[in-house]
Every structure is written in C-alpha cells, then in structure tokens.
Amino acid sequence: MDVLLRVLQQDRSDSEIVKFALETLFNVMNDEVSEEQQGTVMPNELAVQFTEIFIKDHGNVELLINLIEDFDFHIRWPGVRLLTTLLTNKCKEVQEICLVVPRGVSVVMDLLLDTREVVRNDAILLLTHLSKDNPNIQKIVAFENGFERILQIVEDEGGSEGGIVVEDCLQLLSNLLKHNTSNQTFFKEGSYIQRLSPFLDQKQLEGSVEQGWHRQKVNNVHLMLQVVRCLVSPSNPQQTTQSCQRAMFQSGLLQQLCGILMASGVPADILTEAVNTVAEVIRGNQTNQEYFSSVMAPVQPPRAVIEVLLSTMVNERQPFVLRCAVMYSIQSYLYRNERGKAQVVSSLLPKQNEDVRRNSTGQLLCLGMFSSDSLSNWLAAVALSHAILDTSSHKEMLLKVLLAININAPPVTLMDQLLASLKQETRFQTRLGYLMLLSHWLANCPAAVAQFLASNQAPVSFLVSLASAMDSHDESYKVIQGVSCFLLGLCLLFNNNQVDNYSEAKLREILIRRVGVETLTDCLETVSRQEVYTNAAKKPQLKYREASEVVFDFEYTRLYKALESSILKAVSAEGPSKRDTIEEHESIVSQYKQLIKEQDDQVHALRKELHQLRTSHSQTQERCKELDEHVQQLRDQNAVLRAADGDEAVRQQLLQLQAENETLRRENASRQTQEQQTDSTHDSAEQVEALLQRVAQLEQDLAAARAQVDEKPTSNEAAEEEVKRLQQENRRLANDLDTIKKEQDDLLVLLSDQDGKIKALKSRLKELGQEVKDEDDELDLDSEAEEEAS
C-alpha cells in the first residue's frame, strides 16, 4: 500500500499509472465479488483492516479528494469509487476526515455538475454515504445548493418515470432532510416543496394505471412519499412541521396525495405509504384536516374519503399494513380537531332523513367494534376513543348513543353493549380494545363513571374478578389484569357518588378487600414494564409486522402514565381521593388565576402611569431646553450690553482728550502770539517745547483711542481664533513629543537587545579563540591616534 500511495503522490502527471493505483486500492478495500471472482470471497474484516490502514494518515484521504478534483476521467471516476468504498467500510471516521479537509465536501458537490453521467451517478452514491447520519455534512451539502442540483437531476431523468438515478437522488434527498431541522427549514424557505408536486402529477399516475406500475416507478414514488414525510414527521419541531404543512396545502401537494388515495390501480405498498403521508400532512393542522374531510371518492353515490378509509380499516380482507395506515390517518385527522371529533360522535346519534342504505362514520365504527374479527374490534374501539379524547362534552354525547342489536329487542346503550361484549369475549385483542375505549371514556367524566357503575351488567364485579384472578404466566392475561385495575381506579378517581352502592368510600373498600393494594399496585406496574407498552409509547404510528403484535395505543399509554400514580394514591386508605385532590387543585388554580388577574390589572395601571410620567418627563425636558436657550440669549444680550458700555466709556475719554487738546492749542496759539510780540526768555522757550511735546502725546493718545473704537467689533473674534489656533498647535506639539518619546524608548530597547547580542557573539568568538577588540579599546586607540596626529 505504501508503494501505491507513493505513486499517487509522486506520479500524478501520469494519469494511466494513477488510474491503476486507484483501481488497485479499490479492489483491495472492496469486498464485493465480481463475475471473475466467483468462489474467491475476501473476508469483510480484511477489507475493513485495509481501510483503517489507509485512513490512519488523514493526508491519504486529502490526497484522494485532491485527485477527485482533477477533471481527467481516468483519475476522477476511480477516485470517486475508492472514496465511496472507504465510506462504506468506515463511514464515521471518513466523514470526520472529510470535514477537516479544506473544501472536502465542496469538491464532492462539484461532481454533480459533471456532464459524464457515470461520474455524476457515482457521485450521487458517494454523497449518499457521505451525508448519512451526519448533520454537519448534511448542512454543508444543503448550503452548497444541493437541493437545487438534486431536484434538477430528478427532473432531467424523468421524475417518477425515471430510472435508478432518480431513486438514488431521492435517497440522498431523504438523508439530507431526515431529523435535520435546519435543512427542513431551508428546503421549505427555498420553495423546493412546490417542486415536488410535478413528481406526483395525477396525469402521470393515470398513465401508470393503464400501462401498469413497473418496479422502478414503485420505488421512486415510495421514496418521494418518504421525502414528504421527512418534512412533516411528528418528531420534528412543531413550528417546522406546521410551516411545511401549510406549504404543502398551498402548493397543491396535499390535493395530489389525496388523489392517490382515490385513484384506482395503485399498488398496495404505494397506497399504504400515501395514507401514512396524508396522515402526517394533516396531523394537527385544521386547514388540512378540513380539506381532507371534504374530499369525496369518485363513486356513486359520492362518499367521503373518511368513510372509504374506515370501510378499508374494518375489512379483514385488506392488507394488515394498509389497515394500520388507515388507523394512523384517522388518528391524525382527529388530533386536535374538535370539529372532526364532534362529527364522528354525532354520526352515532339518530338523524332525520338519514340514508339507511349508506353507512355513516359512526355506523362503520360500531360494525367494526362488534364484528367477528378481533383486529377490527381493536381498531374501531381505538378510533372511537380518539374521537372522545380529552373532550368531556363528546363523552357525554356518547352516553346517549343507542344500538339496535335485535329487531324484537329494545335498543341498548353503547355502554351496556360494550360491557356485555366484554364479558362474553375471550379474545385478548378484543378485550383490550374495549377496556382501552372504556378507560378513555371514563377519564375526567363523572357522568360516564356514574352510568358505568349503574349498568345492569355488573361491571365492577367482573373487573374485580379479572384483577383478583390467580397469578398466571401468560403475559397477555397480565396485561388484561393491569388494564382492568386501571379502569377500576378510574371509577374511584372520578366518582361523583351518585351510585349509592358504589360510592367512593364503598368502592375503595371493595378494591382493598377483594383485590388488595399490593396486588393492584403490582398489576398496574406490570403493564408499564411490558415491552409492547414501551414500544407503543414511542410514536403514534402503528408499525407492526403482523396483527398479533398490536396491543397498546399511543394515546392510551399517555393516559395510563398520567393517571397511574393518582390511582395508587386514591386506592390507599390513608391517601385523599382524586376527586378531593382535583377540587383542591381547582381551588388553588382559581386562586392563582384571580391573583394573576389582579397582578395583570396592577401591571396595566402601572404601565399606564409610567406612560404618563414618561410623557410628562419629555415635556419637562423640552421646557427646560427652551429655558436654557432663553437664558443663553439673555447672557448674550448682557455681554453685548457690557461691550456697548465699554465703547461709550472710550468715546467719553476721547471727547475729554479732544477738549483738552483744543484748550492746549489755544494756549499754544496765544503763547506764540505773545512770543512774536515780545522777546521771550529762555524759560518761556522751554515751556513752549514742553507744551509741544504734550500736544504730540495727546494726539498719539487720540489716534490710539480712535483705533480702539474702530477695531472693537472684531477684536474679540480675532482673539478667540488666535487662542484656538494656539491650543491646536499646542496639542499637535504634545502629540509629536509623545511620539518622539515612544520612538526613543523603542530605540533604547532595540539598542539594549543589540548590545546583548553583540556581547554574546563576542563571548562566543573568544571561546573559539578569536581575537576580539572591545569598544573601549578601540576608543583608546582612536584617542591616541588623534594625539599623535596633533
């Protein structure tokens, strides 16, 4: 193997030898037997060991991915096959390596654009293995435009009429969407659900009916239905499921699925998967449920699709898996659908102008409950229990249902007929179905409990006899015992004391005396420990291989789990009854509701007051702002007035100087006249000279005062600008000084490091015997040389 790897690394330019090396590695790690190798089977463990050796060095996988990036067919195709084999043998390990390799997944995605079909088709298989159970790779493929490329290949290959390539694409699409909420949201927001509709086009289906469904088309349609179910699975987040359900209704996909249900000639496995798909598309979505109930079968007279499906469910000649699928669709239709539940229950009540030739929904359920087929009994009883699930009004309506068993006998209530059939039946599945229906009926419905206890069929005695029977090793009988104890506990739990013989206290006494608290506890715990109970509690869909495996219903396990502990407390003599507990809880809940309402009112009042305070605060802030602006205006006016006062003082001083100057001029003129008339003395000449100097000084002062008056308006602005300029210059010089200091510090550090290195090198040279002159010695020599020169 090392030789082959060196060939891949060093001889990449030779495509022929690289091809042979890749094919050799493929044959070594592939455990499939070709036609030439018949009779020489290589052990699977050996292929896995070679794979482990190859992927031990992650660089080998990276090298292989780089080779796949080469467009040369003789290199790319063997590389794709080899990488697929590595993923087949060691999937998780190779996936982790591909995630680490740069553009590892992107390189594989680019293979889908290869125009050579053999490379593209093998790339689809490679991506299927690469994305299996790895959410990170699945997200990368989706964001690398994987959905667009895959659906485009499906359309180019002919859709449902396509070959094996379409099947591979749909398998890859299912891998990308299953249990991956991010990809499901991206698929829905990318409007890819609308592109699924042409695949299930009604015209193609009608053509298939005439020509027959070939095996490849069955596989393609089956996988497409599984893709749809990946988007609306009950295990997905509720928000994602609901958005996909809306998109399927708006795109017409639900209408096409319902068309498959009503089409003729559809294979049984496709019909079964279509029923399951419709069930999940309508589950919990009122709009889709209403549309489903309005679909009519193309028969005369027209019948609703629900009636057609119920007829299939209670027909023992229909395939078992199809009947389970119909049961799942009925559950999904009634899930959170109060209107649908009311329609089913009301169909059991007599109506005027009713067509007696046509069986209604309720009549079909009754026919199934009391037929000779035990599976039909179970399915019909469970379907009816879903119609009254968590709805007391529907349970009370069901108390009014009357059944005409014999023509000559008066009609009996549905409750009495159930109890009579329960006592006569010995088949496990039928008994269990009746007991589960009665449990749903009595839970949270005191009126139903009262009618049950008052029945002339003596149900309490019968259930006590079942619960207190001798221990049996038969697991099915233990289940019946536990379910019977649960039903008796419900009678105690929701007893309204209307039946005197079976009041709450008397019924508890009967259970303790004839069954025993320990026995009842063991019976209840035995049921919850059963494997069939655990499997049924996982998901609502019935997925069984044969009819004998059908035991518990999903909703019944939820009811059992919710009330088991309450029943044990109610049966205990010391513990309070469930009724008292419920009333106490209701009282506490009502008190909390009142408290919450008061708090809500207080919060509303406080919010209103807060809004008013905020409004007042904003108004106050605006008023303060206006006052600040007004104060600033007053300050500016004051400054102007002060400046004006200063100018007036200068003007007064100027006038005084002018008056003094004029006086001096007059004195000077008079003195000059006197000097001309008389011969002045030396003292008078000096006085005149002094006066002249005084006049010049006064004229200078006068000019300065005038200049001060003229420059007064602009002097302040110029001074302020000069101050600002000086401040900026100061800041700039300070920044330059800091920069110079930092550079000086850096230079000092560098010089220190350099000195250290020089000293280390000198020491090393001295150790090696080299003569090294110190800087001090050099300086001494330089100084001596200068002295000699001088």
Side-chain angles (χ1 to χ4, degrees), residues 712-722:
K712 186 66 177 180
T714 59
S715 61
N716 292 334
E717 296 180 358
E720 290 177 356
E721 293 178 357
E722 182 67 18

Side-chain angles (χ1 to χ4, degrees), residues 541-552:
Q541 183 183 2
L542 302 176
K543 295 191 70 173
Y544 302 105
R545 291 188 297 270
E546 53 187 25
S548 60
E549 297 178 358
V550 179
V551 180
F552 286 109

